[in-house]
Every structure is written in C-alpha cells, then in structure tokens.
Amino acid sequence: MPRWTRAKAAVPYIVGGTKITLDVLSKVTSLIHPPCIQTVISVASQIITIIEGVKANRDDTKTLAGRLLGLVTVISEIHKDKTDNDISPGVRNSLNRLKSELDEISVEIEAMRVSTDTHTFKGFFKGIVLYSDNGGKIRGYTTRIGWAMNVFQVESRIGDSLRLLEVAEDTRHVRVVVDDVHVITQETHQHIAAIRGDIASIATRAPTSAMDVLPSSFVLPSRPPILYGRDKEIKDIAHRITTTESPRYAIHGPGGIGKTALSLEVMEHPDVAEKYGNSRHFVQCEQATTSALLIELIARGLGIEESSNDRMKDVMSRLQDPDQPVLLILDNFETPWDIVGEKSRVESILCQITSLPHVAILLTMRSDAPPSTHVQWSLPWLDPISALTEDAAHALYVNVDPKADGDSSLDTLLAELSYMPLAITLMASMGRSGQRPTALLQAWRDKAGGTDLFRGTDKNKSVNISIQLSIDSNLMKSVPEALTLLSLLAMLPAGASMELLPSLALDLPNLVLAQVTLSEATLAYIDSGKQAMRLLSPVRSYVLKHQPASDSIKHTVYGAYAQFIANHNAEFGSPDFPEDARVLAAEETNLEAILPPSIQSGSRSAIEAAIDFSRYQRSTRPRLEVITCVVEVCRRNANLEPLARSLFILGEVEYFLGHYDEAQTAYQQASSAYGGLDDRLGVANCLKGLGNIHRVRGQYSEARAAYQRASGMCGELDDRRGVANCLVGCGEIHRMQNRYPDAQTAYQQASDIYGELRDRLGVANCLRGLGDINRMQDRYSEAQIAYQQASGMYGESGSQGGVADCLQSLGEIHRMQCRYLEAQKVYQQALSIYMKLGSRLGVENSLRSLGDIEQGLYKEAEDRDLGCWCGS
C-alpha cells in the first residue's frame, strides 16, 4: 500500500481515538470540574463529531483534532482540583472567550462539511479551489487553538502533539476494558503528567520566552547608595507586587520625596528579584515628551532592538508570554501624563499594557493619586509617600555631614526642610563643605522670606529652596563653570555621556572640577550603568525653569551634536553603518530633545544634522517627530533644497511605517521641489519611492512604469546604485507575477552592481530574492546556497533580521524535503532571533512553522506504525 494511502487510511482511527478520549474527559469533568470547563469540553467534542463527517482536508482535520485534544487535556490538568469558586475572574473570562472561539469554529467547520458533501463531478474544479481554501481555514483554526493553549500556561513545543495523540490511542483501548470512572481519571492524569514532563524537558533545551534571549549587557539601574527610613514601605510594596494577582501600583508624592530611590530599592528586593529575575524593567519616563516617545522608551527598556511599523505592537509582542512574570517600573510618569493634548493616547498605552495579567506595573509620579480611572489599580492603593521621620532625617543628614551631629540647630533645620530627603541631602552637602546647620538655617529662612519664587506646598517649597541654596552656595561660587555645566546637563534628558561631555562643554576650561563640584553639591550624579552624568528629576525641572542655559551654551551644544551626527552618518548598507548606528542609538533620546529647538533658527548645520539623523531613524526605528519639524522649518523659511530632501526622507519614513497615502503625498511634493531645482537624480529617487508604493499595493503596471522611468534617469546620471535599486523593484514585481526567469535576471544584474559598489547589504537582499525564486521552483539546492550566502552577508552587515529571515527560509526548504529535524533546528534559531528583536510577525511565522513540523513528525511516526501493522 502506498505511503499516502496508508496515512489517509489512518485518519479515521486518529480522529476516532481523539473523540473517545474527549468522551472520557467529559465524563471525568462532569464529576470534578466547574461548569465553565465542562462547556468548553462539550463544544470541543462537538467539533470532533463534525470533523468525522468532513470528507476532504483529512490531514488538516486530523491536526485540528489533535490540537483540540491537547487544549482540553491541558485545561483538565490545570483545573483538576478546583471548584467553581476557585476559578479567578481572569481565567473565567479566558474560558468564556475560548468557548466563543470554539463555537465560531464549530459553525464554520459544519459549513465546510455541508459544502464538501454537495460537490459533484461537475463541480470538480470548484472543489479544488474550495479544498485549498478550507485547508487554509482549518490550519488557521489549529493555530488559534494552539495560541489558546498558551493562555492556560502551556508552551506548545515540538513533540507534544505526538504524545497527546498517543494518549488518545491508549485511552481508546483503556475505555474498552475499564468502566470505573475513578480509574479512568487516575490513568488519564498519569498520561498528562508524562506530557508535562516531556514539555518541561523540552523547555530546558530551548528558550521559552523573549526574556531568555535578552542581550548579555542587560543591567538594572544602580541602587541608591543611601536610603533611610523606608524599610516599612520597601517591605510593603515588595510584598504586594510579589503576592497580588496582576499587581498595579503607583508610588505617588511630591518631587524630592524619594519615589525613584524607593522604586529602585523595591526592584532589588530579594523577593522581587526571585519572582521576576531579569524581567525587571526600569523606564525613565522623564524623557517622554510625546506619547510616541513614551512607547519608544518602553520598547528600549524591554530590550527590543528592532522595530516594525507599529511600536506598540512590538511592546505587546515582547510582553505576550503569560508564563513569564514581568515587572515594569515607569518612573516619573507625570512627564508623559501631563503632556498637553496627549493624555488620551498616554492612557491608551497604559491600558494596553495593564490588560496583560502577568505584567506587574509600578509607576512613580508627582501626584496625590494614581493616574487614569480606566486602569484597575490594585486595592488598597499605596499611601502617598510621606516625609522622613525625625530620626531618619537626622540619620540621613549626619551620614552626609558627620560633623553636624550634636549641633543644636540641626533639628530645627530638618523641621524647616519638612524632612524631605532631597532637601536634606542638598543642605547636608553644603554642610559638608564647611557651612554649619546654624548658618544654613538662617540662609534658608532668608531665602524663603525674600521672594515669591518659592510658592507652593511646604514640601515642594523645601525642595525648591534647597536647590536654589545649593546653586548659590560657596561651593558652587568657587567654581563658576559648575553652574554652566548644571544648565547644560538640564538640556539633556538622558544626561551627558562621559565620552561626549568634553565636546559639549568646550567653553568650560575646568570641566573636571565642575563635575566634581556638582557631585559634591549632590545636584548631579554619575549614572554608572550608562557612564553618563545627569540630574535628578526635581533638580532638572527646577533648573530648566529657573536657571536655563544661556544662548551661547545652547549654540555650543547644538553645534557639538551637529558635528557628532556628521561624524556618524554612514549610509545604510555600508560597512560603517552598524557601528555608527550603535553610537547614534546611545544618544537618540538626547538628539530627539536637542534637534527640534536647534533647527528653529534655520541654521543650515542644524538642518543638515536633523536630516542625517532622520535618515538613520528611517533605517532603524522610523520616527516622524524630527523630520516633520525639519519640513515645517524649511517651508517657513522657503529653503527649497533642504525642503526637497527632507520631504523625500519624510516619504521614506511614512512608507516604512505603512502610511502609504502620506508617503505618496510626501514623494510627490519632494519630486516637485526637486524639479524646481532641476535635480533629476532627486526626481528619480522619488519615482522609485512611488514605484515601491504601487508595488506593495499590487499596482504592478504603475510600479513597473515608475521603476523604468527612474532607472533610465539614474543611468543617464551614472547613479549605479539607483539603477540597482530599480532592478530589485522590477525583480520583486516579476517574482510576484511568477515570471521567474525575468525576476532572476533582474536580481542577478542588481547583485552584480551592488558587488561592484561593495554594498554587501544590497547583495544580500538580491541573494535572498534569488533564493526565493529557486525555492518556488523546487530548486532546493540552489535556494539553500543562496540563503546561506545571504545570511552570512546579513550577519556581516549587522542585520540580524535578515539573518532570521534566511533561517526561516532554510527551514522551509528542509520541511518541504521532509527533513523535519533539520527544519526544527533552524526554525528555533530564527525564533530566538525574532524574539530578541521583538519581531511580532517573525515570532508568529516561526511558531506556525514549528507547528507544521509537529505535524510532519507525527506523519513519519504514523507511517512507521502502519508499516509495522501491515507487515504483521
């Protein structure tokens, strides 16, 4: 009997075994499980009954039946000892959603059964199309059910379907000889325990979550060196976020009360470290001046290195694993929360993240209560952080200035400071430099009574006065450059890197002494994790408002950053780009803050820097804020040449973000501007951009015409890279239209040009295209060679996404040739890279491919078993 005939003949036994096992589980659950679980298993059994009547797509229905069995077996095991009262609201909601999903699948499967029953020979060709369509739908149901298994905290790894179907066959035989339902229960759970053991053993061999593949450089922020009087709060918050289900807490209080220090101490608490491990993420929201930047900062805090056209989806994808508890600390959340006109978007971001029950949220903000009434904050709320006790305040002061211990004015000074930690630290730092508490108390009273500058609550007033006294102190006056450096640092939300600081402070001859002075005054500190000098949030806010940088300092900083960008502006695809991108990424937050105000003057160097920076962002993490600002300034000042280039970059950014209408408008406006400048190369580049838009929309005639026009212009202008880019676009069109010889010619010609230009990334893209063409024509050896060469070049160019894509394609080749173990290996490698990059689509494709391998491995085992049976 041929292999396919034997496999087809086995399907009724497999589906029937699954049905019998569901019957057994249904009887068991009627005795020991809550009603909400009984209904899920009842619908699953109904689907299996319908599947038995579907005549076509038997391989796909077999896989769906096995996955259904896996799902209900998992649910049975997890809830075997629970009553209805034990089911949490979150799990109950998940079960209700699952039942709705299964009901929908049941209706659609029944429709398929009816449609396949009614087909006759006359409808043969229609039936072929329907068969393919139904197969895709069934595989989609299988994928949805596989994801449902993840909801109930089971990782669907390779081999579990085989094991589960073995259980089905075993249980089918058990039912014939065993009538006692308690015996059935016992043996079923023994099988399930074995399955869980198999899954656990697999889990030790491969990463099971995105957190397992975090870069080795991942470090938590440094703990505060001194923290007095907070033991009770630390213990309370640590207990809550490790024992509360889906903890959602806000540490709130005035600036300078110690919220950031407290959150960092909680983060390092042994119980918190044990539960969350390396899945503790600290995000400094003080830098989030827009809602888009808030999402970007969260993504960076989670270690997501590569982005799609939807950064929020990248974040949600990274946080998706329900088996990995995550602690996300959003520090200084008042900055994004108070952005004018953006509160609803910031609230939406917070609500989406808090919708994930396994993600714990701890935020700090200057307020009297947690933000957003749409978030279900854990009850009871944390009390607002209070000032220190008198004893703790005394201990803090004396730790900084030991000579003050026993001074008769110290207690009065601490009371005047409202026992605020930051105010105490600043005043004690002045005391350490020689000023006694008596003198500091008099200075504080003089400052408090001499101006209306310090209105506000007593606590805010204490901090503000202490900051101003520190600025006015003899220590700061002794080094005039210290005040200049303070104002400079306030411009930089991420602080100044120690490497870049000398070029930012060219006018400060005593830079090192100024750094030491700010550290001694406790106005600035060294962030050892990032090797940068920065200000505490309350200090930075005060300095920006009351001691802003002078115009000369601003121009120096603007010029230094413009030169910094000019030194690292390698073109995407060039050998120097990966290193330049790494350097720019380290300063990206500061650049996003510095560039918009720097270009408002219309300075040509600032505009050029902003355009170069936007080119970098286009190739890494496309963002609109900076390039949009450039376009507005150039339009206002009628600067036609930079306007044309900035509009072109805007078109590319919009294109990469998937905003095709906006991209088309930008390209058309850029083309018009280039035409006014008689810049034919600029027009050609815009035509290529418009061709790309037509291509992704399936408008192949328009796309081909745009590419051909652009290629002709590039050829006349001897722009060989432009010609190669157009050839690649034409090759993509040919490939999509199954015109493989034409596509191969276009890719090969483009590859030759890229090779002459030493553009390794361009060659890699062409090789991958050639690999796709060969794979589609079943020329697997040639395809494999092309993918392997492309993967190597992607790796050398720093494109890990390209490496993962090639691995995924190599897995497809192995799978098509039934080399399932080799396919499994490369799919897992691709999955690891996609998870590290935070590529939601890549992760989904790899998981789907691994599911296909499960089916292939099962078919191999099935054929072996049938061969042995027939031989006997």
Side-chain angles (χ1 to χ4, degrees):
M1 185 184 297
R3 284 189 55 160
W4 66 268
T5 303
R6 296 201 308 270
K8 185 175 180 181
V11 171
Y13 296 101
I14 296 163
V15 176
T18 304
K19 177 65 167 61
I20 292 170
T21 301
L22 282 172
D23 289 342
V24 172
L25 285 172
S26 182
K27 290 182 178 179
V28 172
T29 55
S30 67
L31 295 178
I32 65 173
H33 279 146
C36 57
I37 296 176
Q38 294 176 23
T39 57
V40 169
I41 295 182
S42 174
V43 178
S45 182
Q46 178 182 345
I47 295 175
I48 295 295
T49 301
I50 299 172
I51 285 174
E52 290 180 348
V54 177
K55 297 177 181 179
N57 303 96
R58 298 300 283 163
D59 285 349
D60 293 324
T61 55
K62 172 203 67 178
T63 305
L64 176 58
R67 190 57 62 85
L68 275 168
L69 173 60
L71 175 64
V72 297
T73 305
V74 163
I75 296 174
S76 172
E77 168 65 2
I78 292 176
H79 300 94
K80 66 180 181 180
D81 297 321
K82 294 184 178 179
T83 66
D84 192 55
N85 292 332
D86 294 328
I87 306 297
S88 69
V91 172
R92 193 180 300 278
N93 288 336
S94 296
L95 286 166
N96 290 336
R97 288 195 301 271
L98 175 60
K99 180 182 178 299
S100 298
E101 185 92 354
L102 293 178
D103 284 335
E104 179 183 333
I105 292 173
S106 175
V107 171
E108 295 181 12
I109 289 284
E110 173 63 18
M112 288 182 196
R113 185 190 65 77
V114 173
S115 64
T116 55
D117 282 348
T118 58
H119 279 114
T120 63
F121 182 75
K122 292 181 179 179
F124 175 73
F125 291 106
K126 183 178 180 182
I128 291 176
V129 175
L130 186 61
Y131 179 93
S132 174
D133 186 49
N134 286 348
K137 289 181 180 178
I138 294 169
R139 288 190 291 274
Y141 303 149
T142 304
T143 300
R144 284 152 65 182
I145 292 170
W147 280 105
M149 291 177 71
N150 285 337
V151 173
F152 296 97
Q153 301 182 339
V154 172
E155 185 73 31
S156 75
R157 310 302 287 174
I158 307 307
D160 63 342
S161 289
L162 176 60
R163 179 70 183 174
L164 289 166
L165 289 169
E166 288 174 355
V167 175
E169 187 65 16
D170 291 344
T171 310
R172 184 170 66 86
H173 293 299
V174 169
R175 187 172 182 269
V176 176
V177 296
V178 180
D179 294 323
D180 189 284
V181 72
H182 298 291
V183 175
I184 294 175
T185 303
Q186 183 179 6
E187 296 201 3
T188 300
H189 285 308
Q190 286 174 352
H191 284 300
I192 295 168
I195 295 165
R196 297 184 74 186
D198 289 345
I199 295 172
S201 66
I202 294 169
T204 62
R205 297 194 297 269
T208 58
S209 76
M211 306 308 167
D212 295 329
V213 290
L214 277 175
S216 58
S217 60
F218 171 74
V219 292
L220 295 174
S222 302
R223 295 170 69 175
I226 303 173
L227 193 62
Y228 290 95
R230 299 301 188 200
D231 292 347
K232 180 180 177 181
E233 289 92 337
I234 293 168
K235 182 178 180 180
D236 175 46
I237 299 172
H239 176 74
R240 293 198 195 196
I241 64 175
T242 54
T243 60
T244 304
E245 182 178 355
S246 301
R248 311 273 183 265
Y249 290 105
I251 300 175
H252 46 95
I257 198 71
K259 300 181 296 295
T260 298
L262 179 59
S263 67
L264 286 171
E265 196 71 17
V266 169
M267 194 177 192
E268 294 282 16
H269 190 279
D271 293 346
V272 176
E274 180 180 356
K275 178 169 182 176
Y276 297 101
N278 278 354
S279 298
R280 293 167 290 157
H281 304 281
F282 187 89
V283 179
Q284 293 166 319
C285 300
E286 179 191 7
Q287 305 162 24
T289 53
T290 65
S291 59
L293 187 52
L294 173 63
I295 299 172
E296 181 63 34
L297 290 169
I298 293 173
R300 295 177 196 173
L302 293 172
I304 301 174
E305 298 181 9
E306 194 166 293
S307 66
S308 67
N309 59 8
D310 190 329
R311 205 59 168 146
M312 192 66 216
K313 286 186 178 178
D314 294 336
V315 169
M316 296 301 287
S317 176
R318 173 55 62 88
L319 295 172
Q320 202 64 47
D321 186 355
D323 291 334
Q324 177 58 64
V326 176
L327 173 60
L328 186 61
I329 297 180
L330 304 174
D331 187 41
N332 290 311
F333 195 74
E334 70 276 353
T335 299
W337 186 248
D338 292 336
I339 300 172
V340 177
E342 295 232 34
K343 183 160 293 186
S344 61
R345 286 188 284 272
V346 172
E347 190 168 43
S348 175
I349 295 167
L350 192 59
C351 288
Q352 288 183 68
I353 295 175
T354 55
S355 70
L356 301 173
H358 60 283
V359 177
I361 297 294
L362 181 64
L363 61 81
T364 75
M365 67 182 298
R366 300 177 202 175
S367 68
D368 296 324
S372 178
T373 57
H374 296 291
V375 174
Q376 188 173 353
W377 297 100
S378 301
L379 297 175
W381 289 356
L382 295 176
D383 292 330
I385 300 302
S386 61
L388 297 178
T389 64
E390 184 176 346
D391 289 342
H394 188 279
L396 172 59
Y397 194 105
V398 171
N399 182 274
V400 177
D401 179 18
K403 298 187 301 296
D405 193 16
D407 190 291
S408 59
S409 299
L410 178 57
D411 289 343
T412 304
L413 174 61
L414 294 174
E416 293 277 0
L417 297 176
S418 301
Y419 304 111
M420 292 289 286
L422 178 58
I424 294 169
T425 302
L426 291 170
M427 298 294 277
S429 297
M430 286 188 281
R432 185 175 54 196
S433 63
Q435 292 181 272
R436 307 305 302 159
T438 302
L440 289 172
L441 176 60
Q442 186 59 49
W444 194 93
R445 287 173 172 171
D446 291 343
K447 184 69 67 175
T451 178
D452 292 333
L453 181 65
F454 306 110
R455 292 174 180 172
T457 66
D458 289 342
K459 293 176 181 178
N460 289 329
K461 182 177 179 180
S462 297
V463 171
N464 290 341
I465 292 176
S466 299
I467 293 172
Q468 189 60 52
L469 284 174
S470 296
I471 292 172
D472 295 339
S473 67
N474 292 331
L475 176 63
M476 291 286 289
K477 289 178 180 177
S478 67
V479 184
E481 294 89 347
L483 180 57
T484 303
L485 179 58
L486 181 70
S487 299
L488 186 158
L489 291 174
M491 296 174 63
L492 308 176
S497 73
M498 305 306 287
E499 182 178 353
L500 189 57
L501 186 54
S503 62
L504 297 174
L506 289 175
D507 297 333
L508 302 184
N510 294 323
L511 174 59
V512 175
L513 185 57
Q515 290 176 269
V516 172
T517 301
L518 289 183
S519 297
E520 282 291 310
T522 326
L523 289 168
Y525 69 100
I526 302 297
D527 186 337
S528 57
K530 298 182 179 179
Q531 289 297 301
M533 190 169 203
R534 58 186 305 161
L535 307 183
L536 290 171
S537 179
V539 175
R540 180 170 180 260
S541 297
Y542 181 87
V543 174
L544 282 173
K545 185 175 182 179
H546 301 295
Q547 297 285 342
S550 65
D551 289 343
S552 62
I553 291 297
K554 290 179 181 178
H555 292 151
T556 299
V557 172
Y558 296 159
Y561 270 113
Q563 187 61 51
F564 174 75
I565 294 172
N567 293 341
H568 301 92
N569 67 346
E571 288 283 348
F572 180 66
S574 68
D576 293 334
F577 181 79
E579 177 59 21
D580 282 354
R582 183 193 65 79
V583 174
L584 288 173
E587 286 294 323
E588 193 159 3
T589 300
N590 284 337
L591 288 167
E592 288 171 332
I594 290 296
L595 287 173
S598 74
I599 64 177
Q600 292 301 322
S601 65
S603 163
R604 188 58 183 263
S605 63
I607 289 174
E608 290 298 322
I611 291 175
D612 286 343
F613 177 68
S614 296
R615 279 196 301 106
Y616 147 77
Q617 288 196 314
R618 169 207 63 189
S619 304
T620 54
R621 290 179 286 268
R623 298 286 303 279
L624 289 167
E625 289 83 358
V626 173
I627 192 61
T628 301
C629 187
V630 176
V631 170
E632 291 173 353
V633 170
C634 290
R635 275 184 173 147
R636 185 178 67 229
N637 297 335
N639 294 334
L640 192 57
E641 192 275 336
L643 175 61
R645 288 190 293 123
S646 59
L647 280 168
F648 176 74
I649 296 293
L650 177 61
E652 291 196 303
V653 172
E654 296 280 21
Y655 172 77
F656 284 120
L657 290 173
H659 306 159
Y660 299 129
D661 289 340
E662 293 85 349
Q664 185 169 348
T665 298
Y667 281 138
Q668 289 170 340
Q669 292 177 350
S671 179
S672 177
Y674 278 127
L677 295 166
D678 198 24
D679 186 339
R680 299 186 67 215
L681 185 58
V683 173
N685 288 332
C686 293
L687 282 171
K688 284 183 290 184
L690 291 169
N692 291 337
I693 294 173
H694 289 311
R695 176 171 55 80
V696 297
R697 285 174 163 172
Q699 301 164 345
Y700 297 135
S701 298
E702 295 90 336
R704 188 180 297 108
Y707 287 140
Q708 289 172 345
R709 284 184 59 198
S711 180
M713 297 175 73
C714 290
E716 294 172 6
L717 298 168
D718 198 29
D719 177 20
R720 306 204 62 202
R721 178 174 278 106
V723 172
N725 292 339
C726 292
L727 284 168
V728 170
C730 289
E732 287 293 298
I733 293 174
H734 293 317
R735 181 176 65 82
M736 292 174 180
Q737 295 181 316
N738 298 331
R739 294 160 54 183
Y740 298 131
D742 293 337
Q744 185 165 351
T745 299
Y747 283 134
Q748 191 60 62
Q749 290 175 350
S751 180
D752 292 342
I753 296 174
Y754 286 131
E756 294 171 7
L757 297 173
R758 300 180 65 186
D759 185 341
R760 300 183 68 81
L761 195 58
V763 174
N765 289 333
C766 291
L767 284 169
R768 194 174 77 185
L770 290 168
D772 292 340
I773 292 171
N774 285 314
R775 177 165 58 86
M776 291 172 181
Q777 299 177 88
D778 297 337
R779 298 204 298 252
Y780 297 132
S781 298
E782 295 92 330
Q784 185 170 348
I785 292 171
Y787 287 137
Q788 288 171 339
Q789 291 176 343
S791 179
M793 289 190 173
Y794 279 130
E796 293 170 3
S797 302
S799 175
Q800 287 301 302
V803 173
D805 291 340
C806 289
L807 287 170
Q808 186 73 15
S809 297
L810 286 169
E812 291 297 302
I813 292 175
H814 291 312
R815 183 180 65 81
M816 290 174 179
Q817 298 179 89
C818 300
R819 299 203 301 258
Y820 297 123
L821 293 179
E822 293 93 330
Q824 176 184 324
K825 180 179 179 181
V826 293
Y827 282 144
Q828 288 174 336
Q829 291 173 349
L831 176 62
S832 294
I833 297 174
Y834 285 134
M835 294 175 85
K836 181 178 180 181
L837 297 177
S839 172
R840 176 178 53 86
L841 183 60
V843 169
E844 290 177 358
N845 287 337
S846 292
L847 287 174
R848 187 178 298 110
S849 298
L850 286 168
D852 292 339
I853 293 300
E854 292 183 28
Q855 181 178 351
L857 289 170
Y858 178 78
K859 289 178 70 175
E860 281 191 347
E862 166 197 295
D863 288 346
R864 286 196 301 270
D865 292 343
L866 283 175
C868 295
W869 179 76
C870 292
S872 62

